Every structure is written in C-alpha cells, then in structure tokens.
C-alpha cells in the first residue's frame, strides 16, 4: 500500500537521524498526489536536509513547478525518451503530450528547480536515431541529459548487451 504523507515524513525523519541528507520523491507519478507541496514543506523542515528532488514524467510539471519550488523542492528529474512525437506516443502508450513535458521542463528551469536532469532510455535500433535531436534541444539549456539502455526493472526489462547503443 502507498504510504500517507505522515508516514513518509516519519520514515524520512528516521533516515535523517541515521545520516541521510538528500531525499528523492518518486514512484508512480508523484505529481498526481494532492497537496504534494505540503509533503515537500514537511520534509524540508526536517533537520539536516540538504536537498529534496523529485522524479516525474513531466506532464503535470508546468502547472506545479513554481509552487513546488516555493514549498522547498530543490530540483527535478524528468523522464523523456525522445523528441520524436511518434516515438514519444509509442513509449508513453499515447498518454500525455510531448509539448506539455517540454513546457514543464521550461517551467521547472524558470522556477529554479536546477540543475534539472532528465533520463532518456535509448535502446539500440528502437529510437536511437533521435538521440541527436534530443541532445541538440537541450544543449546550453543548463539541463543534464542522462541516457540509459534500459531501466532494468526486473524480469520484465532485463539487461541485454545486444540492446546497448554502441555494443558490438
């Protein structure tokens, strides 16, 4: 079951007492949780917290970026695999919109949620052709691009060298 905010704050308090200084809010899509800013504010109030980050698919980021920054969020990581709309629609199952994610990234940078990072999964032969477009879009934008071959989420997405870009 999903933890409520009080349980998350309690656990985070235990972790900070043990030396944890950085927290990341992730899992599913955190921006779907009502009053997420309240959670961030409560976490930021914990002693010795140096950074709170959030990982998101970015679809709702544009409407929440400024409020989350005001609540104490320090930075954001966005998952974005391609700027090719057909590839994006395939990867997202037709949910969301590429323009909304790009607007969300811009809003996050404008709000000061930096350094903004984004994760791109780039398996060989699937949409590695769009990597240069992705890199060109964010060159000089103060955004850190991280590329992965697969996310390795257990048996459903096991590591295979054959899908690595640049593998023999």
């Amino acid at each position: 079951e999903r933890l409520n905010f009080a349980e998350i704050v309690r656990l985070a308090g235990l972790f900070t007492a043990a030396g944890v200084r950085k927290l990341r809010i992730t899992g599913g899509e955190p921006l779907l949780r009502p009053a997420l800013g309240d959670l961030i504010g409560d976490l930021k109030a914990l002693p010795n917290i140096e950074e709170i980050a959030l990982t998101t698919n970015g679809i709702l980021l544009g409407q929440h970026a400024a409020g989350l920054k005001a609540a104490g969020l320090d930075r954001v990581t966005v998952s974005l695999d391609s700027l090719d709309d057909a590839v994006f629609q395939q990867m997202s199952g037709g949910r969301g919109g590429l323009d909304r994610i790009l607007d969300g990234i811009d809003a996050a940078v404008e709000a000061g949620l930096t350094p903004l990072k984004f994760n791109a999964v780039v398996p060989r032969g699937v949409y590695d052709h769009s990597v240069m477009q992705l890199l060109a879009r964010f060159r000089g934008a103060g955004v850190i691009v991280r590329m992965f071959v697969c996310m390795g989420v257990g048996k459903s997405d096991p590591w295979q060298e054959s899908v690595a870009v640049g593998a023999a």
Side-chain angles (χ1 to χ4, degrees):
E1 290 184 31
R2 182 171 69 176
L3 298 176
N4 64 42
F5 287 173
E7 292 168 328
I8 293 170
V9 172
R10 181 176 176 274
L11 282 173
L14 294 171
F15 296 147
T16 59
V20 170
R21 300 291 173 253
K22 297 179 181 182
L23 301 173
R24 173 173 304 281
I25 300 167
T26 189
E29 176 47 54
L31 294 178
L32 289 173
R33 296 204 57 179
L36 184 62
D38 293 342
L39 172 64
I40 291 168
D42 291 346
L43 293 172
K44 194 69 170 189
L46 293 172
N48 302 315
I49 290 297
E50 297 170 4
E51 179 182 85
I52 299 177
L54 175 100
T55 299
T56 175
N57 66 20
I59 292 172
L60 300 173
L61 187 56
Q63 66 196 68
H64 294 288
L68 293 174
K69 177 65 176 179
L73 187 66
D74 295 297
R75 64 179 187 80
V76 175
T77 299
V78 176
S79 299
L80 177 62
D81 299 319
S82 177
L83 294 178
D84 179 309
D85 195 54
V87 171
F88 175 80
Q89 291 302 321
Q90 175 188 351
M91 294 302 297
S92 69
R95 292 182 301 275
L98 183 56
D99 289 340
R100 286 182 70 186
I101 295 171
L102 295 174
D103 290 345
I105 290 170
D106 292 341
V109 170
E110 185 176 315
L113 294 170
T114 56
L116 188 137
K117 298 179 182 182
F118 79 83
N119 298 334
V121 179
V122 188
R124 181 207 300 239
V126 179
Y127 47 90
D128 48 337
H129 66 280
S130 65
V131 168
M132 296 310 290
Q133 178 188 18
L134 192 64
L135 293 174
R137 164 64 169 81
F138 293 104
R139 178 172 293 188
V143 173
I144 298 168
V145 179
R146 300 185 299 181
M147 298 194 176
F148 303 89
V149 175
C150 70
M151 292 306 283
V153 289
K155 293 181 181 180
S156 66
D157 189 19
W159 162 254
Q160 298 173 39
E161 186 175 351
S162 63
V163 300
V165 175

